[in-house]
């Protein structure tokens, strides 16, 4: 038996993988997407914490520190160096008739000291 020229198949060219630039571009796009989504979710979580959860935490801390009930208003503004609450009050108690009220409470802090 002889091989006829019609039965011979030409060898397929070797398959090349994706080029280096294509792989780098894909890696950069995926990494960039993960960073952007992670940053967005982190900012949303931080905003929720500051505007929804921080006032009750500060109220509890002040109540324990002063040994008096403290009522803080909602967070009006938050910056990296301070926070503003919409009013605060220290109501009277059964044993103490003095009280305090404020229309706005501004708290400033140094973020560098918080990190150290």
């Amino acid at each position: 038996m002889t091989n006829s020229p019609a039965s011979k198949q030409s060898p397929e060219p070797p398959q090349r993988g994706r080029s280096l630039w294509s792989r780098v571009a894909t890696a950069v796009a995926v990494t960039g997407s993960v960073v952007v989504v992670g940053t967005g979710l982190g900012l949303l979580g931080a905003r929720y914490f500051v505007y929804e959860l921080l006032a009750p935490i500060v109220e509890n801390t002040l109540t324990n520190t002063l040994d008096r009930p403290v009522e803080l208003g909602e967070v009006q503004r938050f910056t990296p160096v301070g926070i503003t609450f919409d009013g605060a009050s220290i109501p009277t108690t059964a044993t103490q008739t003095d009280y305090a009220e404020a229309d706005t409470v501004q708290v400033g802090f140094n973020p560098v000291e918080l990190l150290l």
Side-chain angles (χ1 to χ4, degrees):
M1 295 187 149
T2 61
N3 289 337
S4 64
S7 68
K8 285 187 179 179
Q9 296 179 349
S10 62
E12 293 182 22
Q15 292 183 346
R16 288 186 55 200
R18 296 184 331 190
S19 70
L20 175 64
W21 291 113
S22 175
R23 284 185 263 157
V24 168
T26 300
V28 167
V30 168
T31 303
S33 298
V34 168
V35 168
V36 167
V37 169
T39 301
L41 290 175
L43 289 174
L44 285 174
R47 185 181 193 297
Y48 176 77
F49 173 77
V50 167
Y51 284 93
E52 301 296 328
L53 303 178
L54 186 60
I57 292 171
V58 173
E59 278 182 4
N60 288 337
T61 302
L62 289 173
T63 296
N64 292 337
T65 301
L66 300 174
D67 199 26
R68 292 277 305 264
V70 176
E71 298 169 359
L72 281 177
E74 294 181 359
V75 174
Q76 283 183 334
R77 184 171 179 223
F78 177 76
T79 65
V81 294
I83 189 166
T84 303
F85 292 98
D86 183 27
S89 67
I90 301 175
T92 61
T93 64
T95 59
Q96 297 176 331
T97 58
D98 53 340
Y99 68 97
E101 290 183 357
D103 292 332
T104 302
V105 177
Q106 295 179 341
V107 180
F109 48 85
N110 183 353
V112 174
E113 289 180 8
L114 295 175
L115 296 174
L116 298 177

